[in-house]
Amino acid sequence: MAARVEAPRVAPEIPEGAPVYAPSPTCEDFIHACAAGPLGEFRVLVLMGPRGEGKTSAALFALVALGQRLQMEGLGARLPLRVAVIRDTFENLTRTTIPTIQKQVAKGLPVEFFDGNKQCRLGLWAHLYFFGMDNRKDVDKLQGFECAVLWPEEVAPGAELDVGIPAEGFGMGATSVRQEGVPHRILMTLNPCDEDNWV
């Protein structure tokens, strides 16, 4: 007797009464720019704004939109998109970025964390790997890593607890964006920064 295999769910079930994600016009443009364009085009997208304006959520939904585009074009076998999420420290990832991602479950996103919150799956669309860049030696964590998307989160310092990502982290991360058969993106989300910041 053959075992019954359940087909994976493509669209998340949204709980009754759950809030619906309604991005600002700027965030909506960012999401669209991530998913649009020729498949072979490498895009670097920057979303800058003050704290609490929805930058992290917009980047998350941009990943979903890009994954959904591949599904609609019959390229779902190339999923999930491998995503390197880098931030100045792993502590700051766990303090703000990861909780923001966890909140998206209420908006219907299928989110699953594992490996001590060092990895996360967004449905069938994306597999996120979290990297803290606590010092310049941490840049080596990206050595040999291949991804479709590099997401430098809070690139520039935005508060006393943030130090920003070193330019070397961005450089090494950019060379990791080479997952085969999928669009390549760098999604930079950041607070407004000083003129002397490398960004």
Side-chain angles (χ1 to χ4, degrees), residues 58-121:
L60 205 59
F61 281 92
L63 296 172
V64 171
L66 185 57
Q68 288 176 336
R69 176 193 173 180
L70 291 176
Q71 284 179 314
M72 288 188 298
E73 295 187 7
L75 302 172
R78 298 179 184 180
L79 297 173
L81 299 166
R82 289 171 52 93
V83 181
V85 184
I86 62 173
R87 189 157 178 184
D88 55 355
T89 67
F90 190 76
E91 181 181 343
N92 280 339
L93 281 164
T94 59
R95 190 173 54 83
T96 59
T97 305
I98 289 172
T100 298
I101 294 171
Q102 290 168 332
K103 288 178 186 174
Q104 305 315 308
V105 173
K107 297 176 184 174
L109 265 188
V111 176
E112 177 191 359
F113 281 90
F114 55 98
D115 189 22
N117 284 351
K118 292 179 183 169
Q119 297 184 49
C120 169
R121 284 195 194 97

Side-chain angles (χ1 to χ4, degrees), residues 6-97:
E6 293 287 333
R9 290 189 318 188
V10 174
E13 292 180 14
I14 300 175
E16 189 173 317
V20 175
Y21 177 63
S24 70
T26 302
C27 289
E28 187 174 1
D29 288 346
F30 181 81
I31 293 166
H32 177 72
C34 179
L39 286 176
E41 183 178 62
F42 191 127
R43 289 188 172 193
V44 177
L45 303 167
V46 179
L47 183 59
M48 184 171 20
R51 295 173 57 204
E53 291 295 313
K55 301 180 298 289
T56 301
S57 298
L60 205 59
F61 281 92
L63 296 172
V64 171
L66 185 57
Q68 288 176 336
R69 176 193 173 180
L70 291 176
Q71 284 179 314
M72 288 188 298
E73 295 187 7
L75 302 172
R78 298 179 184 180
L79 297 173
L81 299 166
R82 289 171 52 93
V83 181
V85 184
I86 62 173
R87 189 157 178 184
D88 55 355
T89 67
F90 190 76
E91 181 181 343
N92 280 339
L93 281 164
T94 59
R95 190 173 54 83
T96 59
T97 305

Side-chain angles (χ1 to χ4, degrees), residues 134-149:
D134 296 51
N135 59 61
R136 295 191 189 280
K137 291 181 181 179
D138 286 338
V139 171
D140 292 339
K141 295 176 184 176
L142 295 171
Q143 194 80 294
F145 187 80
E146 292 186 9
C147 59
V149 179

